[in-house]
Amino acid sequence: MNEELAQNAPAWVRVREALEGFARRSPSRFAVLIFAAMILVFTAIFAAPFSGANNTPTALADALFTAVSTICVSGLSTVDMATHWSPLGNAFVFIGTQIGAIGVLTLASVLGAIISGGLGLRAKLMIASDTNPLRLHAGPVPEGQAIKLGDVGGLVVSVAVSLFAIETVIAILMMPSVMAAGYPVGESIWYSFYYAASAFTNTGFTPNIGGLAIFQGDFWFLSLIMIAVMLGSFGFPVLYALRRHLFHPRKWSLHVKLTLTTWWLLWAGGILAFLIVSPIGSTAFRAFDAGQRIFEAAFLSTMARSGGFNIVDISQLDTATLLLTDMLMFIGGGSASTAGGIKVTTFAILLLAAVAEARGRSSIEVFRRRVPSDVLRLGVSVVLWGATTVALGTLILSNITDAPLEYILFDVISGFATVGMSTGVTASLPDSGVYVMAAIMFMGRVGTVTLAAALAASQVGQFFNHPEERPIVG
Amino acid sequence: MNEELAQNAPAWVRVREALEGFARRSPSRFAVLIFAAMILVFTAIFAAPFSGANNTPTALADALFTAVSTICVSGLSTVDMATHWSPLGNAFVFIGTQIGAIGVLTLASVLGAIISGGLGLRAKLMIASDTNPLRLHAGPVPEGQAIKLGDVGGLVVSVAVSLFAIETVIAILMMPSVMAAGYPVGESIWYSFYYAASAFTNTGFTPNIGGLAIFQGDFWFLSLIMIAVMLGSFGFPVLYALRRHLFHPRKWSLHVKLTLTTWWLLWAGGILAFLIVSPIGSTAFRAFDAGQRIFEAAFLSTMARSGGFNIVDISQLDTATLLLTDMLMFIGGGSASTAGGIKVTTFAILLLAAVAEARGRSSIEVFRRRVPSDVLRLGVSVVLWGATTVALGTLILSNITDAPLEYILFDVISGFATVGMSTGVTASLPDSGVYVMAAIMFMGRVGTVTLAAALAASQVGQFFNHPEERPIVG
Ligand SMILES: [K+]
Ligand SMILES: [K+]
């Protein structure tokens, strides 16, 4: 569109053009802005009297925190989510998590697609999990090359349809359990959809008074929660590949193989570690019989991925169990998923780098593929971002609250990785701490995704004129 | 030496030959073995009655711990170092730290030299900090290529002479302060040399009853301690470069520039952070006037590098100050130094990788030099090793002791990075915990150094037959 045309175009076209320009120049910053704007809108909504029970307005700190927690699908809360909100407020929470989840999935997929090659955006996304030989040779491209708001629109629809379809299936499967718990039909439908959405989007909010404890012995319901969280935390590219080639692992891309392998190894490793470590120090774990212990270990290991539901009271767990959960939460789920953390592929790449180093290989290799060395550098950047966020957050909160360090660290990592399990520290924070925690969630959710994309997308060509020299490390 | 000659050679030649063969095949494993053997010898010595005050034998756990702490120049203790040992036992502690320091310096330098190029070992060491154009193009070489025990002998002498020379100068400068504290001449000489050695080797043991508290107001003495710790934590290659080209920074190698820059930035950053954070939560810090605060912040920032002396009671510091110290300790000092941690260059390389990523550069650049990408991989391996050691150590000790997490974490990192400051947790551990702590110190000291070398040295040539593919991270 040339200068003169832009002058004469209607206002909405010019706004759209300006947005497209900004999005093209810097999609990462554009994404951060969109997220910030959504959070402000929902802060206003949650602060308004019509969102509160009994038409009461909500304090700014709590409204902002709930908006961040909802849009970032974090699931931490400073108010009692079951009683604090009016039915309308509850509906906004539900809508917020859906918008947040679709936003995050779209954003991560778009930015991930920009990273993964130089093809058109929609095409790239559709083949992101496919066996396209072009993908093997794709390198990073300049930010501006491939993104258009129109393409994103198509992707949003595609993500949203998948999301609602999966959530509806899960909700229908959950319905009998919710009705069996004694809720009337209307509430049962609402609760089922809320739980299905809360689980698949890895949010972790519970709509009913008493929360998940009501379903303590209902293994069908709890297993559905686990499966929904799992599917959500795999990420869109993996789900897409599974839908097309579920029984043909040879057709999976490296990303799909690496995500699923690491996911399951961490999951099983987590269960094993909980079974070994937790009964030593945790009276809550010791009280269980063998079957309950295994189920609880599996549940905790799943929820640490970023689901955030909990059966046992987190504050009743011993320090060793909390630290184990911290590690799992920090790693988080799959890239381009609603799960948080540094992501399982990032963790895998770091480990594979160490393995390559130990085997004396000059490049990272896995599943008969060579991983370019700039992927490691991207991974290191993401981990440094995460470690810095967690360290600063813990440092600041340790000055704000007198809670034990293991509790503070747990809630900070839970916030950073948008997990949502809490030792109770978050709910007891003064306003200053609530703002800090909201910032941690925002940096964890929007930060890692856009950071990875912004960095990967900013590769520029350059000539080398510096000689190589090798410092000693370690 | 051919088969027949070997058959007819005297026994010592054959032993020497066998050792040379093992050292040549796997210098890293050889080094681990040497360290373990030294620790066993010193465990026997410390357990024996003649080492204990009043001719009392020392319990195995404490003897082993002291041997590890001495040989690894860690400085943590499970007994009162000033009163538990006989004069002979004290002399063995002194000798142990000297052997440990020379051993670590030699080991790190030898292994570092193996990493840094394919020249003859002695030649390599002598030019390690020099402006040799060959160094710029040197790549990793196979382990077996360059090492001979004879060469190492020459290096040990060179390291030992430097060490004793520097320690003697510091001891002489310390003498007036120690005499002014009221000790008789004989004890003053002994204490001066002990303090000088303890500081330069970054051990952190104090020989006198009351320890450093006796010298609380003596800024001359405390400054000498700081300077000695600083020099020791720079590392041998840096000291060598400074001796030759102190006022010609243009002649410094990349390693020297990177070490000194990172060292001073971390030092200044640490001081600033302590001055901002510590007065908020720490009554000990609040009680100081401005001058004392700055001095204490500088002292703590220096000792975190791995010196391990302390003026204020560590258990009186608030959680935020402990966490800040944790971070500084984990990073530690220079490569090929008596300091521990992952090393300042490792930290710098990780940061530079993130910076390169953010600037869209395809390789890590600093001081007009390009750093090969395998250095980053080595750094990632060292950090993973460190993080795993600290995480496992903290997890296990949290099951053994009821101490608060911030205290356990502090002592574990202090052990891993062989710093030696303690919140009191180490001295109060049961035997099982003492063994765990000893293992942490061993893994921290011998592990990082040999791991880095073993990995860097094991590069093997290989052909690539796998296509490249790019997973999504972050
Ligand atoms: K969550
Ligand atoms: K030390």
Side-chain angles (χ1 to χ4, degrees):
Chain A
M1 185 174 281
N2 66 35
E3 201 62 21
E4 198 189 350
L5 252 171
Q7 293 273 330
N8 298 330
W12 69 269
V13 171
R14 266 182 288 162
V15 168
R16 197 192 139 127
E17 191 70 7
L19 279 178
E20 282 216 10
F22 183 39
R24 199 166 25 236
R25 277 192 308 279
S26 178
S28 317
R29 261 177 247 168
F30 182 69
V32 172
L33 216 72
I34 293 274
F35 263 82
M38 285 203 292
I39 286 167
L40 288 185
V41 169
F42 273 83
T43 303
I45 290 174
F46 289 135
F50 57 75
S51 291
N54 309 317
N55 219 31
T56 327
T58 297
L60 183 64
D62 292 330
L64 174 71
F65 190 91
T66 307
V68 175
S69 185
T70 303
I71 296 294
C72 294
V73 291
S74 151
L76 281 172
S77 49
T78 53
V79 299
D80 184 340
M81 294 304 286
T83 58
H84 181 88
W85 306 109
S86 66
L88 190 60
N90 264 318
F92 276 119
V93 170
F94 180 85
I95 293 167
T97 60
Q98 301 289 297
I99 292 179
I102 294 170
V104 164
L105 282 174
T106 309
L107 174 64
S109 302
V110 169
L111 298 182
I114 293 172
I115 297 169
S116 68
L119 300 167
L121 180 66
R122 192 157 8 187
K124 263 186 299 183
L125 254 150
M126 292 306 128
I127 58 120
S129 330
D130 215 336
T131 51
N132 190 312
L134 280 175
R135 197 193 48 237
L136 303 180
H137 308 291
V141 293
E143 281 201 281
Q145 187 169 328
I147 196 162
K148 270 197 183 162
L149 287 188
D151 288 337
V152 177
L155 177 66
V156 169
V157 172
S158 157
V159 167
V161 168
S162 317
L163 183 96
F164 292 133
I166 296 176
E167 285 177 3
T168 305
V169 171
I170 297 167
I172 290 168
L173 292 172
M174 280 176 168
M175 209 88 75
S177 282
V178 182
M179 290 189 68
Y183 294 108
V185 178
E187 272 182 321
S188 288
I189 294 174
W190 165 237
Y191 286 169
S192 296
F193 270 91
Y194 193 106
Y195 265 113
S198 187
F200 181 69
T201 60
N202 275 235
T203 309
F205 285 137
T206 55
N208 58 320
I209 295 170
L212 215 59
I214 305 289
F215 305 97
Q216 185 93 50
D218 187 341
F219 293 110
W220 169 253
F221 185 80
L222 294 178
S223 300
L224 281 174
I225 292 265
M226 275 203 272
I227 291 166
V229 166
M230 262 178 210
L231 290 175
S233 74
F234 286 162
F236 193 72
V238 175
L239 289 183
Y240 192 83
L242 289 183
R243 195 175 68 117
R244 289 196 52 166
H245 307 295
L246 182 56
F247 299 110
H248 302 94
R250 287 156 148 264
K251 296 195 173 179
W252 297 354
S253 70
L254 175 60
H255 177 72
V256 174
K257 287 182 193 162
L258 202 56
T259 300
L260 288 177
T261 311
T262 316
W263 203 104
W264 288 110
L265 285 179
L266 281 171
W267 189 73
I271 294 175
L272 207 65
F274 285 131
L275 287 176
I276 294 169
V277 167
S278 303
I280 300 173
S282 162
T283 45
F285 249 89
R286 260 204 303 277
F288 292 142
D289 66 29
Q292 282 173 317
R293 278 186 195 181
I294 292 172
F295 190 83
E296 170 57 20
F299 197 82
L300 195 51
S301 189
T302 313
M303 293 313 145
R305 199 58 69 240
S306 144
F309 293 97
N310 55 292
I311 316 179
V312 290
D313 181 352
I314 299 294
S315 67
Q316 295 300 309
L317 296 173
D318 62 314
T319 305
T321 304
L322 292 177
L323 288 175
L324 270 177
T325 316
D326 287 345
M327 293 177 214
L328 292 174
M329 293 194 299
F330 187 76
I331 297 171
S335 294
S337 81
T338 49
I342 60 166
K343 305 301 182 298
V344 292
T345 41
T346 310
F347 176 71
I349 291 296
L350 292 191
L351 270 191
L352 289 170
V355 169
E357 197 59 51
R359 293 178 60 202
R361 298 304 177 90
S362 67
S363 80
I364 301 174
E365 283 164 18
V366 62
F367 294 122
R368 297 175 164 277
R369 288 286 183 277
R370 197 153 49 84
V371 179
S373 67
D374 62 292
V375 174
L376 172 62
R377 234 171 50 179
L378 186 55
V380 167
S381 307
V382 172
V383 172
L384 277 184
W385 172 268
T388 307
T389 304
V390 169
L392 278 184
T394 307
L395 207 67
I396 295 171
L397 285 183
S398 79
N399 269 319
I400 290 178
T401 168
D402 285 334
L405 179 60
E406 59 269 33
Y407 284 11
I408 299 175
L409 186 66
F410 186 95
D411 275 40
V412 166
I413 295 183
S414 176
F416 162 75
T418 61
V419 173
M421 292 189 277
S422 173
T423 57
V425 166
T426 301
S428 71
L429 285 175
D431 279 4
S432 59
V434 169
Y435 289 120
V436 171
M437 203 56 141
I440 292 171
M441 292 193 292
F442 187 79
M443 285 168 79
R445 161 79 2 196
V446 185
T448 46
V449 171
T450 53
L451 182 83
L455 294 186
S458 66
Q459 300 292 337
V460 293
Q462 100 197 80
F463 295 104
F464 297 116
N465 39 23
H466 297 320
E468 193 171 280
E469 185 172 343
R470 187 178 297 272
I472 313 172
V473 298
Chain B
M1 186 176 281
N2 66 35
E3 200 62 22
E4 199 190 347
L5 252 172
Q7 292 275 327
N8 297 328
W12 70 269
V13 172
R14 267 182 286 163
V15 168
R16 197 193 139 128
E17 192 71 5
L19 280 178
E20 283 216 8
F22 182 41
R24 198 163 29 232
R25 279 192 306 279
S26 178
S28 317
R29 262 177 245 167
F30 182 69
V32 172
L33 216 72
I34 293 275
F35 263 82
M38 285 203 291
I39 286 167
L40 287 185
V41 169
F42 272 83
T43 303
I45 288 173
F46 289 135
F50 59 74
S51 291
N54 309 317
N55 220 33
T56 328
T58 297
L60 184 64
D62 292 330
L64 174 71
F65 190 90
T66 308
V68 174
S69 184
T70 303
I71 297 293
C72 295
V73 292
S74 149
L76 281 171
S77 50
T78 54
V79 299
D80 183 338
M81 294 304 285
T83 59
H84 182 87
W85 306 107
S86 66
L88 190 61
N90 263 318
F92 277 119
V93 170
F94 180 84
I95 294 167
T97 58
Q98 300 289 296
I99 291 178
I102 294 170
V104 164
L105 283 175
T106 309
L107 174 64
S109 302
V110 169
L111 299 181
I114 293 173
I115 299 169
S116 68
L119 299 168
L121 178 67
R122 192 158 5 185
K124 264 187 299 185
L125 255 149
M126 293 305 126
I127 58 117
S129 328
D130 214 336
T131 50
N132 190 311
L134 281 174
R135 197 192 50 237
L136 302 180
H137 307 291
V141 293
E143 278 202 282
Q145 188 170 328
I147 198 162
K148 269 195 184 163
L149 288 188
D151 288 337
V152 177
L155 177 66
V156 168
V157 171
S158 157
V159 167
V161 167
S162 317
L163 184 93
F164 292 134
I166 295 174
E167 285 176 5
T168 304
V169 171
I170 298 167
I172 290 170
L173 292 173
M174 280 176 169
M175 210 88 73
S177 282
V178 183
M179 291 188 67
Y183 294 108
V185 179
E187 272 181 321
S188 288
I189 293 175
W190 165 237
Y191 285 169
S192 297
F193 270 90
Y194 193 107
Y195 265 114
S198 187
F200 182 68
T201 60
N202 275 233
T203 310
F205 284 138
T206 55
N208 57 317
I209 296 171
L212 215 58
I214 304 289
F215 304 98
Q216 185 92 50
D218 187 340
F219 293 110
W220 169 254
F221 185 80
L222 295 178
S223 299
L224 280 174
I225 292 267
M226 275 204 271
I227 291 167
V229 166
M230 261 178 210
L231 289 175
S233 75
F234 285 162
F236 193 72
V238 175
L239 289 183
Y240 192 84
L242 289 183
R243 196 176 65 117
R244 287 196 53 167
H245 307 296
L246 182 55
F247 298 112
H248 302 95
R250 287 157 149 262
K251 296 196 172 176
W252 297 352
S253 70
L254 175 60
H255 177 72
V256 174
K257 287 180 194 163
L258 201 56
T259 302
L260 288 177
T261 310
T262 317
W263 203 105
W264 288 111
L265 286 179
L266 281 171
W267 188 73
I271 294 174
L272 206 65
F274 284 131
L275 287 176
I276 296 168
V277 167
S278 304
I280 301 172
S282 162
T283 46
F285 248 89
R286 258 203 304 277
F288 293 142
D289 65 32
Q292 283 173 316
R293 278 187 195 181
I294 293 173
F295 191 83
E296 171 57 21
F299 198 83
L300 195 53
S301 188
T302 312
M303 293 313 144
R305 199 57 68 241
S306 137
F309 293 97
N310 54 293
I311 316 180
V312 291
D313 182 353
I314 300 294
S315 66
Q316 295 301 308
L317 297 174
D318 62 314
T319 305
T321 304
L322 292 177
L323 288 175
L324 270 177
T325 317
D326 288 346
M327 293 177 212
L328 291 174
M329 294 195 298
F330 186 76
I331 297 172
S335 294
S337 80
T338 48
I342 59 167
K343 306 298 182 305
V344 291
T345 40
T346 310
F347 175 70
I349 291 297
L350 294 190
L351 271 191
L352 289 170
V355 169
E357 197 59 52
R359 292 178 59 202
R361 297 304 176 92
S362 67
S363 79
I364 301 174
E365 283 164 20
V366 60
F367 293 122
R368 298 175 163 275
R369 289 286 181 277
R370 197 153 50 83
V371 179
S373 67
D374 62 293
V375 173
L376 173 61
R377 236 171 48 180
L378 187 55
V380 168
S381 308
V382 171
V383 173
L384 277 184
W385 171 268
T388 308
T389 304
V390 169
L392 278 183
T394 307
L395 207 67
I396 295 172
L397 286 183
S398 80
N399 270 320
I400 290 179
T401 169
D402 285 335
L405 180 60
E406 59 269 31
Y407 285 10
I408 300 175
L409 186 66
F410 187 94
D411 274 40
V412 166
I413 295 183
S414 176
F416 163 75
T418 62
V419 172
M421 293 189 277
S422 173
T423 56
V425 166
T426 301
S428 71
L429 285 174
D431 279 5
S432 59
V434 170
Y435 289 120
V436 171
M437 204 50 142
I440 292 170
M441 292 194 290
F442 187 80
M443 286 167 79
R445 159 88 342 195
V446 185
T448 46
V449 172
T450 54
L451 180 85
L455 294 185
S458 67
Q459 301 291 337
V460 293
Q462 96 195 85
F463 295 103
F464 297 115
N465 39 24
H466 297 320
E468 194 173 279
E469 187 172 344
R470 187 178 299 270
I472 313 172
V473 298

